[in-house]
Amino acid sequence: RFRVTLGDGREHVIPWSPTFGERREGEPLLYEDSYGRACIGVNRGNAAETLAIITSEAASGSPVKSA
């Protein structure tokens, strides 16, 4: 899981998944696209709408430590 901080300061904790199918419908995920970039997605949904992301908005991420 990663803590993703958007440019406006909002934070989301999002799991890393190699495929969309590993997440339930409507659940967000981080995945690697065909260019090797980390991307935010939503299984069978729209990440920009679900997480209220502006496409030009900067984001940063860091791993969430397990307890």
Side-chain angles (χ1 to χ4, degrees):
R1 297 180 334 143
F2 287 81
R3 183 175 317 282
V4 176
T5 305
L6 302 176
D8 64 2
R10 289 180 296 128
E11 292 186 345
H12 299 278
V13 175
I14 303 175
W16 179 268
S17 292
T19 66
F20 280 75
E22 290 187 5
R23 306 272 47 104
R24 291 185 300 239
E25 186 171 329
E27 189 174 56
L29 67 143
L30 286 174
Y31 67 96
E32 182 179 351
D33 73 4
S34 60
Y35 295 101
R37 299 176 295 196
C39 297
I40 300 171
V42 170
N43 187 18
R44 301 187 59 82
N46 182 313
E49 290 177 5
T50 301
L51 302 174
I53 297 171
I54 299 168
T55 57
S56 62
E57 188 171 38
S60 63
S62 61
V64 174
K65 294 181 182 178
S66 297

